[in-house]
Amino acid sequence: HPELDLSLPMLKYLISRPYEKWIGKPEVTGKGGKIREPGEPGMIEWFRTLEGFGNIGDDGIATLQDKLGQDFLSNANGNLEWLNDPDILPALEDSGVTLHDLVKQPFSLYFVLPQNKVGTHSGFLKLFVMMLLYELEGRGEGGGPPCLLMIDEAYSIGHINRLSQAASTVRKYATSIWTFWTNFAQMRKLMGDDEAQALLGVCGFVEVFGVDDIATNEFISRWIGDNPITGQRYISPSQLPGLVC
């Protein structure tokens, strides 16, 4: 519909519609091709044409129409459960700030979730981080001032797709990513061994404070190896291409 509001609340409303509304109802014909019951077009057919929702295309149509389609919509609906929070909807609807414009100028932005909301609203924070990374990469080289993205209590937020890859690719866009963890076991559990190692591998610095578990101590000992200290120098935050604490 040309007047459709392309917003997250609208997306939540659409994916919460009954599955039958999505796939539609085929027409039923009798002998001689006479239509016995008229069909109804599904939401899929017009939903994929909306540019604001990414044009899901033929592959997306096939996914929604097969037997996994209902599970797909149910999972998407669950991941957007935080949109039911009455405090979030007004903020999203009334905000005049866009990340697309924000990343092109100097700014400080604090995205804070209360501890009792981290479990239920982590999808909101993950979506924000992914959108921010997308905009930072999209601005191109020299398209904005240096950016420092700090993700505290990374384990509580949950797995963020392609974080380790982004930590490497955003360097060319004057962006550094710092993540903070309680211990190495958190990284391995959340990301898996390969992705955790990849994230550590692209970081320019790894800082460790007050380790009190054997696994992290052993890992850091192997990671550092034998390196004699030959001198000291001050490094500003803007000089750190990546940091894991």
Side-chain angles (χ1 to χ4, degrees), residues 97-185:
V97 178
T98 66
L99 290 178
H100 181 73
D101 295 329
L102 201 60
V103 298
K104 297 177 181 178
Q105 56 188 314
F107 70 96
S108 294
L109 179 62
Y110 297 86
F111 193 115
V112 181
L113 281 178
Q115 187 61 39
N116 63 340
K117 297 286 188 179
V118 171
T120 57
H121 292 57
S122 61
F124 188 19
L125 185 51
K126 284 190 283 188
L127 177 63
F128 176 83
V129 171
M130 292 302 297
M131 291 173 60
L132 182 57
L133 290 173
Y134 175 81
E135 293 295 346
L136 287 169
E137 292 175 339
R139 68 182 184 173
E141 297 184 45
C147 177
L148 173 61
L149 173 60
M150 303 176 67
I151 305 176
D152 195 12
E153 296 294 343
Y155 179 76
S156 298
I157 299 170
H159 186 259
I160 299 178
N161 293 331
R162 60 180 293 273
L163 178 61
S164 58
Q165 178 187 353
S168 175
T169 59
V170 295
R171 291 183 183 182
K172 67 176 67 174
Y173 308 119
T175 298
S176 298
I177 299 177
W178 292 7
T179 59
F180 296 82
W181 309 77
T182 300
N183 52 51
F184 181 60

Side-chain angles (χ1 to χ4, degrees), residues 19-20 63-75:
Y19 182 60
E20 293 74 18
T63 299
L64 290 172
Q65 286 178 332
D66 70 16
K67 61 181 181 180
L68 296 177
Q70 192 165 4
D71 292 337
F72 174 84
L73 289 173
S74 176
N75 184 52

Side-chain angles (χ1 to χ4, degrees), residues 76-91:
N77 194 37
N79 285 330
L80 290 176
E81 185 65 27
W82 48 269
L83 279 171
N84 292 328
D85 189 320
D87 293 328
I88 288 182
L89 284 179

